[in-house]
Amino acid sequence: MKTTMKMSGSKQSRPWYRQPLVWMIIAIPLSAVIAGIYTFRLAVISDDGLVVDDYYRKGKEINLDLSRDKAALAHGLSADIRINYQQGTISLTLTGSAKYTLPALLDLHLLYSTRAGHDVTLDMNRTPSGDYFSILPANLIQGRWNILVEADDWRLLGSVRMPTETAISLTADN
């Protein structure tokens, strides 16, 4: 006589924490919460430097600064800037009209395009050859930089992509 034993169709169920679907359902909202906390932390500790408190006053000051551009044009100024990233130097050749006496010292401002905290001001001294020279800071980051060269009552403006561009020409009529 042959006996067959039938297994009952009941499955043993696993506890909830051993179910992969449960962990997937928990992981998605948990990752959103973690990303939100990280983004909030980043927003609090970083200074974006983009918002100006009194934008109307700043806009009015731009019109006052145009007189400095007109003065550079009246002096017939132009500048050729050469950057040597390997040596960490920057030199500038300034030319102007015959009536204008070139200053002994220039201020060169390197203004990072999006973060004011990276801005740098360099004093450029005139060398015996007539060029202006300064040492570049070692902590300049890659990206687009605005250049402002100024002295006395004038200024020249331009931009450079660091570290790819090594020569920049600035003229008063830009």
Side-chain angles (χ1 to χ4, degrees):
M1 178 181 286
K2 198 172 190 189
T3 18
T4 43
M5 226 175 183
K6 286 189 177 180
M7 299 282 289
S8 68
S10 67
K11 268 189 181 175
Q12 268 195 341
S13 65
R14 296 185 290 182
W16 70 270
Y17 54 86
R18 293 195 181 237
Q19 299 289 336
L21 187 60
V22 171
W23 287 109
M24 186 180 77
I25 291 171
I26 292 172
I28 293 172
L30 183 65
S31 65
V33 169
I34 291 171
I37 291 170
Y38 177 74
T39 304
F40 179 75
R41 181 184 169 276
L42 211 76
V44 169
I45 66 169
S46 69
D47 176 27
D48 59 2
L50 297 176
V51 179
V52 177
D53 290 337
D54 191 359
Y55 63 90
Y56 179 73
R57 185 177 52 84
K58 288 288 185 187
K60 287 175 60 178
E61 287 176 3
I62 289 172
N63 290 334
L64 296 175
D65 286 342
L66 294 179
S67 64
R68 297 171 63 208
D69 296 331
K70 291 176 185 174
L73 188 60
H75 296 312
L77 295 174
S78 66
D80 292 317
I81 301 172
R82 292 162 311 283
I83 303 172
N84 188 329
Y85 297 104
Q86 287 77 25
Q87 294 179 355
T89 60
I90 185 166
S91 59
L92 182 143
T93 304
L94 184 67
T95 55
S97 66
K99 294 184 265 179
Y100 182 70
T101 305
L102 299 177
L105 180 71
L106 294 178
D107 289 331
L108 186 132
H109 303 277
L110 295 172
L111 310 168
Y112 194 66
S113 58
T114 57
R115 298 279 178 125
H118 294 291
D119 295 353
V120 176
T121 299
L122 303 173
D123 291 331
M124 299 199 71
N125 295 308
R126 193 163 185 195
T127 62
S129 66
D131 291 342
Y132 295 87
F133 180 82
S134 187
I135 304 294
L136 279 175
N139 60 346
L140 292 179
I141 60 175
Q142 287 186 348
R144 183 176 176 272
W145 290 79
N146 295 316
I147 296 178
L148 167 64
V149 179
E150 64 181 353
D152 303 331
D153 63 339
W154 58 267
R155 73 175 181 183
L156 295 174
L157 299 168
S159 66
V160 63
R161 236 181 222 293
M162 291 192 185
T164 55
E165 294 181 36
T166 58
I168 305 102
S169 292
L170 308 176
T171 57
D173 58 353
N174 284 351

